[in-house]
Amino acid sequence: PAVLNDEGVYEIGNGGQLFWFAELVNGGEETVNAILTGNVTIDAYRVWTSMTQFAGTFDGNGNTISGLSVQETSAVYTGFIARLNEGGVVKNVTISDSNFESDQSVGAVVGYNAGLVENCTNTSTVTSTYKNVGGVVGYNVGTINGCSNSGTVTGASDVGGIVGYSTGDVIGCSNSGTVAGNSELG
């Protein structure tokens, strides 16, 4: 398991601890907080299951998570975190050398965002067979601030480098990745 520090934040420094934290969240502990203490690489044979509902703070602390493999064709939301709820924060993390594939609302960092995604970077591949696919966030009703994408994003409709579909705020973001599909937002 991840180590709980004096501030009540789980410190994550390897793939096993990251999987343990995801299981904790998916088991109903949606408001726990975590910080990466270093870069985390997931072994090639381990398939990532998105954190389904998250309302805590996940601070990447400037580190990178790589090797995530997500194929959730029946999921409504798919990403490192499937659904970031109000009050939830994901910040300061890079998702690299990973692959995210699902039907709709797919983003490398967050599939559906109602919280805050800040200073996050995607350099991975994100694919949707339908709609709402973005390099960082698939579907946004929250805030995306200071994020960037240089990964490849492909979908049928509502496709964007940062976010596929948004009614929320997108501030100070940039895309240099390849985007293929019908885009509503850049």
mmCIF file of all heavy atoms in Angstrom, residues 126-169:
data_model
loop_
_atom_site.group_PDB
_atom_site.id
_atom_site.type_symbol
_atom_site.label_atom_id
_atom_site.label_comp_id
_atom_site.label_asym_id
_atom_site.label_seq_id
_atom_site.Cartn_x
_atom_site.Cartn_y
_atom_site.Cartn_z
ATOM 1 N N VAL A 126 -4.812 8.655 -27.450
ATOM 2 C CA VAL A 126 -6.179 8.615 -26.935
ATOM 3 C C VAL A 126 -7.116 8.395 -28.113
ATOM 4 O O VAL A 126 -7.098 9.147 -29.083
ATOM 5 C CB VAL A 126 -6.543 9.923 -26.200
ATOM 6 C CG1 VAL A 126 -7.926 9.821 -25.589
ATOM 7 C CG2 VAL A 126 -5.511 10.257 -25.140
ATOM 8 N N THR A 127 -7.943 7.339 -28.018
ATOM 9 C CA THR A 127 -8.810 6.958 -29.138
ATOM 10 C C THR A 127 -10.234 6.713 -28.654
ATOM 11 O O THR A 127 -10.448 6.052 -27.643
ATOM 12 C CB THR A 127 -8.289 5.672 -29.809
ATOM 13 O OG1 THR A 127 -6.921 5.858 -30.168
ATOM 14 C CG2 THR A 127 -9.096 5.333 -31.043
ATOM 15 N N SER A 128 -11.187 7.239 -29.416
ATOM 16 C CA SER A 128 -12.599 6.976 -29.157
ATOM 17 C C SER A 128 -13.247 6.490 -30.439
ATOM 18 O O SER A 128 -12.975 7.012 -31.513
ATOM 19 C CB SER A 128 -13.310 8.250 -28.692
ATOM 20 O OG SER A 128 -14.705 8.079 -28.713
ATOM 21 N N THR A 129 -14.108 5.493 -30.308
ATOM 22 C CA THR A 129 -14.828 5.017 -31.480
ATOM 23 C C THR A 129 -16.067 5.868 -31.750
ATOM 24 O O THR A 129 -16.724 5.699 -32.767
ATOM 25 C CB THR A 129 -15.255 3.554 -31.289
ATOM 26 O OG1 THR A 129 -16.017 3.453 -30.075
ATOM 27 C CG2 THR A 129 -14.050 2.638 -31.215
ATOM 28 N N TYR A 130 -16.385 6.787 -30.830
ATOM 29 C CA TYR A 130 -17.595 7.574 -30.980
ATOM 30 C C TYR A 130 -17.321 9.066 -30.789
ATOM 31 O O TYR A 130 -16.986 9.757 -31.732
ATOM 32 C CB TYR A 130 -18.659 7.043 -30.015
ATOM 33 C CG TYR A 130 -20.024 7.675 -30.130
ATOM 34 C CD1 TYR A 130 -20.550 8.073 -31.351
ATOM 35 C CD2 TYR A 130 -20.793 7.879 -29.003
ATOM 36 C CE1 TYR A 130 -21.805 8.651 -31.444
ATOM 37 C CE2 TYR A 130 -22.060 8.452 -29.080
ATOM 38 C CZ TYR A 130 -22.555 8.841 -30.309
ATOM 39 O OH TYR A 130 -23.792 9.414 -30.384
ATOM 40 N N LYS A 131 -17.447 9.592 -29.565
ATOM 41 C CA LYS A 131 -17.361 11.038 -29.399
ATOM 42 C C LYS A 131 -16.736 11.439 -28.060
ATOM 43 O O LYS A 131 -16.513 10.616 -27.186
ATOM 44 C CB LYS A 131 -18.759 11.663 -29.509
ATOM 45 C CG LYS A 131 -19.711 11.226 -28.412
ATOM 46 C CD LYS A 131 -21.068 11.902 -28.567
ATOM 47 C CE LYS A 131 -21.989 11.495 -27.426
ATOM 48 N NZ LYS A 131 -23.266 12.175 -27.489
ATOM 49 N N ASN A 132 -16.501 12.756 -27.920
ATOM 50 C CA ASN A 132 -15.979 13.375 -26.701
ATOM 51 C C ASN A 132 -14.617 12.802 -26.310
ATOM 52 O O ASN A 132 -14.445 12.184 -25.269
ATOM 53 C CB ASN A 132 -16.958 13.232 -25.530
ATOM 54 C CG ASN A 132 -18.329 13.785 -25.831
ATOM 55 O OD1 ASN A 132 -18.471 14.680 -26.666
ATOM 56 N ND2 ASN A 132 -19.336 13.255 -25.184
ATOM 57 N N VAL A 133 -13.644 13.047 -27.159
ATOM 58 C CA VAL A 133 -12.295 12.537 -26.917
ATOM 59 C C VAL A 133 -11.291 13.685 -26.990
ATOM 60 O O VAL A 133 -11.304 14.479 -27.928
ATOM 61 C CB VAL A 133 -11.925 11.396 -27.903
ATOM 62 C CG1 VAL A 133 -12.048 11.831 -29.349
ATOM 63 C CG2 VAL A 133 -10.527 10.873 -27.631
ATOM 64 N N GLY A 134 -10.460 13.790 -25.925
ATOM 65 C CA GLY A 134 -9.454 14.837 -25.876
ATOM 66 C C GLY A 134 -8.150 14.303 -25.341
ATOM 67 O O GLY A 134 -8.114 13.298 -24.632
ATOM 68 N N GLY A 135 -7.071 14.981 -25.649
ATOM 69 C CA GLY A 135 -5.767 14.548 -25.162
ATOM 70 C C GLY A 135 -5.679 14.554 -23.647
ATOM 71 O O GLY A 135 -5.104 13.659 -23.040
ATOM 72 N N VAL A 136 -6.275 15.565 -23.005
ATOM 73 C CA VAL A 136 -6.222 15.679 -21.550
ATOM 74 C C VAL A 136 -7.551 15.265 -20.927
ATOM 75 O O VAL A 136 -7.593 14.458 -20.006
ATOM 76 C CB VAL A 136 -5.831 17.122 -21.121
ATOM 77 C CG1 VAL A 136 -5.829 17.263 -19.609
ATOM 78 C CG2 VAL A 136 -4.464 17.492 -21.696
ATOM 79 N N VAL A 137 -8.666 15.831 -21.423
ATOM 80 C CA VAL A 137 -10.008 15.563 -20.891
ATOM 81 C C VAL A 137 -10.952 15.250 -22.043
ATOM 82 O O VAL A 137 -10.922 15.915 -23.076
ATOM 83 C CB VAL A 137 -10.542 16.788 -20.095
ATOM 84 C CG1 VAL A 137 -11.981 16.573 -19.663
ATOM 85 C CG2 VAL A 137 -9.657 17.075 -18.893
ATOM 86 N N GLY A 138 -11.825 14.260 -21.838
ATOM 87 C CA GLY A 138 -12.805 13.926 -22.864
ATOM 88 C C GLY A 138 -13.988 14.882 -22.863
ATOM 89 O O GLY A 138 -14.314 15.497 -23.876
ATOM 90 N N TYR A 139 -14.650 15.025 -21.708
ATOM 91 C CA TYR A 139 -15.858 15.846 -21.564
ATOM 92 C C TYR A 139 -15.657 16.737 -20.350
ATOM 93 O O TYR A 139 -15.371 16.242 -19.264
ATOM 94 C CB TYR A 139 -17.072 14.932 -21.362
ATOM 95 C CG TYR A 139 -18.419 15.596 -21.474
ATOM 96 C CD1 TYR A 139 -19.245 15.329 -22.561
ATOM 97 C CD2 TYR A 139 -18.888 16.465 -20.489
ATOM 98 C CE1 TYR A 139 -20.505 15.913 -22.668
ATOM 99 C CE2 TYR A 139 -20.132 17.057 -20.591
ATOM 100 C CZ TYR A 139 -20.936 16.783 -21.681
ATOM 101 O OH TYR A 139 -22.177 17.357 -21.787
ATOM 102 N N ASN A 140 -15.804 18.050 -20.523
ATOM 103 C CA ASN A 140 -15.495 18.993 -19.447
ATOM 104 C C ASN A 140 -16.668 19.889 -19.091
ATOM 105 O O ASN A 140 -17.221 20.563 -19.955
ATOM 106 C CB ASN A 140 -14.309 19.876 -19.865
ATOM 107 C CG ASN A 140 -13.949 20.901 -18.827
ATOM 108 O OD1 ASN A 140 -13.693 20.557 -17.679
ATOM 109 N ND2 ASN A 140 -13.928 22.164 -19.213
ATOM 110 N N VAL A 141 -17.032 19.891 -17.805
ATOM 111 C CA VAL A 141 -17.974 20.880 -17.284
ATOM 112 C C VAL A 141 -17.306 21.661 -16.143
ATOM 113 O O VAL A 141 -17.926 22.519 -15.538
ATOM 114 C CB VAL A 141 -19.304 20.237 -16.798
ATOM 115 C CG1 VAL A 141 -20.024 19.558 -17.949
ATOM 116 C CG2 VAL A 141 -19.074 19.261 -15.655
ATOM 117 N N GLY A 142 -16.048 21.349 -15.855
ATOM 118 C CA GLY A 142 -15.280 22.003 -14.797
ATOM 119 C C GLY A 142 -14.289 22.979 -15.378
ATOM 120 O O GLY A 142 -14.598 23.730 -16.302
ATOM 121 N N THR A 143 -13.050 22.941 -14.859
ATOM 122 C CA THR A 143 -11.990 23.849 -15.297
ATOM 123 C C THR A 143 -10.751 23.063 -15.694
ATOM 124 O O THR A 143 -10.321 22.163 -14.969
ATOM 125 C CB THR A 143 -11.623 24.845 -14.176
ATOM 126 O OG1 THR A 143 -12.784 25.592 -13.824
ATOM 127 C CG2 THR A 143 -10.523 25.794 -14.623
ATOM 128 N N ILE A 144 -10.202 23.425 -16.842
ATOM 129 C CA ILE A 144 -8.925 22.880 -17.314
ATOM 130 C C ILE A 144 -7.990 24.079 -17.438
ATOM 131 O O ILE A 144 -8.276 25.017 -18.188
ATOM 132 C CB ILE A 144 -9.075 22.171 -18.675
ATOM 133 C CG1 ILE A 144 -10.152 21.084 -18.608
ATOM 134 C CG2 ILE A 144 -7.739 21.596 -19.128
ATOM 135 C CD1 ILE A 144 -10.541 20.527 -19.975
ATOM 136 N N ASN A 145 -6.885 24.069 -16.696
ATOM 137 C CA ASN A 145 -6.017 25.232 -16.638
ATOM 138 C C ASN A 145 -4.553 24.839 -16.843
ATOM 139 O O ASN A 145 -4.049 23.953 -16.158
ATOM 140 C CB ASN A 145 -6.179 25.921 -15.272
ATOM 141 C CG ASN A 145 -5.364 27.186 -15.167
ATOM 142 O OD1 ASN A 145 -5.193 27.921 -16.125
ATOM 143 N ND2 ASN A 145 -4.836 27.443 -13.979
ATOM 144 N N GLY A 146 -3.900 25.488 -17.798
ATOM 145 C CA GLY A 146 -2.462 25.325 -17.986
ATOM 146 C C GLY A 146 -2.033 23.943 -18.423
ATOM 147 O O GLY A 146 -0.944 23.499 -18.079
ATOM 148 N N CYS A 147 -2.866 23.261 -19.191
ATOM 149 C CA CYS A 147 -2.561 21.891 -19.628
ATOM 150 C C CYS A 147 -2.047 21.872 -21.063
ATOM 151 O O CYS A 147 -2.251 22.824 -21.822
ATOM 152 C CB CYS A 147 -3.807 21.010 -19.508
ATOM 153 S SG CYS A 147 -4.337 20.775 -17.796
ATOM 154 N N SER A 148 -1.385 20.773 -21.436
ATOM 155 C CA SER A 148 -0.884 20.648 -22.797
ATOM 156 C C SER A 148 -1.002 19.206 -23.290
ATOM 157 O O SER A 148 -1.032 18.273 -22.503
ATOM 158 C CB SER A 148 0.573 21.110 -22.893
ATOM 159 O OG SER A 148 1.403 20.273 -22.122
ATOM 160 N N ASN A 149 -1.078 19.087 -24.606
ATOM 161 C CA ASN A 149 -1.135 17.782 -25.252
ATOM 162 C C ASN A 149 -0.183 17.753 -26.431
ATOM 163 O O ASN A 149 -0.184 18.659 -27.256
ATOM 164 C CB ASN A 149 -2.551 17.489 -25.769
ATOM 165 C CG ASN A 149 -2.591 16.198 -26.560
ATOM 166 O OD1 ASN A 149 -2.339 15.134 -26.034
ATOM 167 N ND2 ASN A 149 -2.871 16.303 -27.855
ATOM 168 N N SER A 150 0.635 16.717 -26.503
ATOM 169 C CA SER A 150 1.436 16.467 -27.701
ATOM 170 C C SER A 150 1.207 15.038 -28.175
ATOM 171 O O SER A 150 1.913 14.547 -29.049
ATOM 172 C CB SER A 150 2.927 16.727 -27.427
ATOM 173 O OG SER A 150 3.389 15.861 -26.401
ATOM 174 N N GLY A 151 0.214 14.381 -27.606
ATOM 175 C CA GLY A 151 -0.130 13.023 -28.004
ATOM 176 C C GLY A 151 -1.061 13.009 -29.203
ATOM 177 O O GLY A 151 -1.490 14.049 -29.701
ATOM 178 N N THR A 152 -1.394 11.814 -29.658
ATOM 179 C CA THR A 152 -2.281 11.627 -30.799
ATOM 180 C C THR A 152 -3.696 11.348 -30.302
ATOM 181 O O THR A 152 -3.905 10.473 -29.464
ATOM 182 C CB THR A 152 -1.796 10.449 -31.664
ATOM 183 O OG1 THR A 152 -0.474 10.746 -32.122
ATOM 184 C CG2 THR A 152 -2.708 10.216 -32.854
ATOM 185 N N VAL A 153 -4.664 12.117 -30.828
ATOM 186 C CA VAL A 153 -6.055 12.004 -30.411
ATOM 187 C C VAL A 153 -6.912 11.702 -31.636
ATOM 188 O O VAL A 153 -6.864 12.425 -32.627
ATOM 189 C CB VAL A 153 -6.549 13.305 -29.740
ATOM 190 C CG1 VAL A 153 -7.970 13.142 -29.231
ATOM 191 C CG2 VAL A 153 -5.614 13.722 -28.620
ATOM 192 N N THR A 154 -7.702 10.609 -31.556
ATOM 193 C CA THR A 154 -8.522 10.196 -32.689
ATOM 194 C C THR A 154 -9.930 9.853 -32.213
ATOM 195 O O THR A 154 -10.100 9.168 -31.201
ATOM 196 C CB THR A 154 -7.919 8.950 -33.369
ATOM 197 O OG1 THR A 154 -6.556 9.213 -33.697
ATOM 198 C CG2 THR A 154 -8.679 8.592 -34.633
ATOM 199 N N GLY A 155 -10.928 10.311 -32.962
ATOM 200 C CA GLY A 155 -12.313 9.992 -32.638
ATOM 201 C C GLY A 155 -13.228 10.316 -33.799
ATOM 202 O O GLY A 155 -12.795 10.871 -34.811
ATOM 203 N N ALA A 156 -14.503 9.989 -33.647
ATOM 204 C CA ALA A 156 -15.468 10.228 -34.710
ATOM 205 C C ALA A 156 -16.008 11.661 -34.663
ATOM 206 O O ALA A 156 -16.109 12.328 -35.690
ATOM 207 C CB ALA A 156 -16.613 9.233 -34.615
ATOM 208 N N SER A 157 -16.355 12.151 -33.468
ATOM 209 C CA SER A 157 -16.859 13.520 -33.353
ATOM 210 C C SER A 157 -16.504 14.099 -31.991
ATOM 211 O O SER A 157 -16.227 13.358 -31.045
ATOM 212 C CB SER A 157 -18.377 13.563 -33.567
ATOM 213 O OG SER A 157 -19.052 12.896 -32.529
ATOM 214 N N ASP A 158 -16.539 15.432 -31.899
ATOM 215 C CA ASP A 158 -16.156 16.158 -30.692
ATOM 216 C C ASP A 158 -14.778 15.710 -30.221
ATOM 217 O O ASP A 158 -14.604 15.124 -29.153
ATOM 218 C CB ASP A 158 -17.199 15.985 -29.589
ATOM 219 C CG ASP A 158 -18.552 16.567 -29.971
ATOM 220 O OD1 ASP A 158 -18.566 17.500 -30.803
ATOM 221 O OD2 ASP A 158 -19.569 16.101 -29.456
ATOM 222 N N VAL A 159 -13.786 16.009 -31.051
ATOM 223 C CA VAL A 159 -12.405 15.608 -30.831
ATOM 224 C C VAL A 159 -11.543 16.855 -30.675
ATOM 225 O O VAL A 159 -11.686 17.798 -31.450
ATOM 226 C CB VAL A 159 -11.879 14.780 -32.032
ATOM 227 C CG1 VAL A 159 -10.467 14.284 -31.786
ATOM 228 C CG2 VAL A 159 -12.810 13.624 -32.337
ATOM 229 N N GLY A 160 -10.658 16.872 -29.664
ATOM 230 C CA GLY A 160 -9.781 18.024 -29.489
ATOM 231 C C GLY A 160 -8.467 17.642 -28.842
ATOM 232 O O GLY A 160 -8.379 16.633 -28.140
ATOM 233 N N GLY A 161 -7.465 18.454 -29.055
ATOM 234 C CA GLY A 161 -6.156 18.186 -28.473
ATOM 235 C C GLY A 161 -6.174 18.260 -26.957
ATOM 236 O O GLY A 161 -5.580 17.421 -26.288
ATOM 237 N N ILE A 162 -6.862 19.242 -26.397
ATOM 238 C CA ILE A 162 -6.977 19.375 -24.948
ATOM 239 C C ILE A 162 -8.238 18.694 -24.456
ATOM 240 O O ILE A 162 -8.207 17.868 -23.544
ATOM 241 C CB ILE A 162 -6.979 20.860 -24.512
ATOM 242 C CG1 ILE A 162 -5.666 21.530 -24.912
ATOM 243 C CG2 ILE A 162 -7.236 20.982 -23.002
ATOM 244 C CD1 ILE A 162 -4.418 20.930 -24.281
ATOM 245 N N VAL A 163 -9.390 19.049 -25.039
ATOM 246 C CA VAL A 163 -10.682 18.518 -24.597
ATOM 247 C C VAL A 163 -11.571 18.266 -25.812
ATOM 248 O O VAL A 163 -11.552 19.035 -26.770
ATOM 249 C CB VAL A 163 -11.364 19.474 -23.584
ATOM 250 C CG1 VAL A 163 -11.578 20.860 -24.175
ATOM 251 C CG2 VAL A 163 -12.645 18.906 -23.030
ATOM 252 N N GLY A 164 -12.344 17.181 -25.748
ATOM 253 C CA GLY A 164 -13.240 16.863 -26.856
ATOM 254 C C GLY A 164 -14.480 17.729 -26.868
ATOM 255 O O GLY A 164 -14.843 18.321 -27.885
ATOM 256 N N TYR A 165 -15.155 17.839 -25.718
ATOM 257 C CA TYR A 165 -16.371 18.634 -25.604
ATOM 258 C C TYR A 165 -16.339 19.366 -24.274
ATOM 259 O O TYR A 165 -16.032 18.767 -23.252
ATOM 260 C CB TYR A 165 -17.615 17.740 -25.676
ATOM 261 C CG TYR A 165 -18.907 18.512 -25.596
ATOM 262 C CD1 TYR A 165 -19.457 19.088 -26.739
ATOM 263 C CD2 TYR A 165 -19.557 18.690 -24.383
ATOM 264 C CE1 TYR A 165 -20.634 19.815 -26.674
ATOM 265 C CE2 TYR A 165 -20.731 19.420 -24.309
ATOM 266 C CZ TYR A 165 -21.266 19.979 -25.455
ATOM 267 O OH TYR A 165 -22.426 20.698 -25.384
ATOM 268 N N SER A 166 -16.671 20.671 -24.288
ATOM 269 C CA SER A 166 -16.592 21.441 -23.052
ATOM 270 C C SER A 166 -17.682 22.487 -22.954
ATOM 271 O O SER A 166 -17.931 23.225 -23.907
ATOM 272 C CB SER A 166 -15.228 22.138 -22.954
ATOM 273 O OG SER A 166 -15.144 22.887 -21.761
ATOM 274 N N THR A 167 -18.316 22.546 -21.790
ATOM 275 C CA THR A 167 -19.183 23.666 -21.429
ATOM 276 C C THR A 167 -18.569 24.400 -20.238
ATOM 277 O O THR A 167 -19.156 25.336 -19.714
ATOM 278 C CB THR A 167 -20.609 23.196 -21.075
ATOM 279 O OG1 THR A 167 -20.535 22.271 -19.978
ATOM 280 C CG2 THR A 167 -21.275 22.518 -22.263
ATOM 281 N N GLY A 168 -17.392 23.950 -19.803
ATOM 282 C CA GLY A 168 -16.680 24.559 -18.682
ATOM 283 C C GLY A 168 -15.612 25.515 -19.179
ATOM 284 O O GLY A 168 -15.655 25.997 -20.314
ATOM 285 N N ASP A 169 -14.621 25.781 -18.336
ATOM 286 C CA ASP A 169 -13.557 26.723 -18.645
ATOM 287 C C ASP A 169 -12.293 25.992 -19.085
ATOM 288 O O ASP A 169 -11.878 25.025 -18.451
ATOM 289 C CB ASP A 169 -13.227 27.578 -17.414
ATOM 290 C CG ASP A 169 -14.398 28.455 -16.988
ATOM 291 O OD1 ASP A 169 -15.077 29.003 -17.879
ATOM 292 O OD2 ASP A 169 -14.642 28.574 -15.773
#
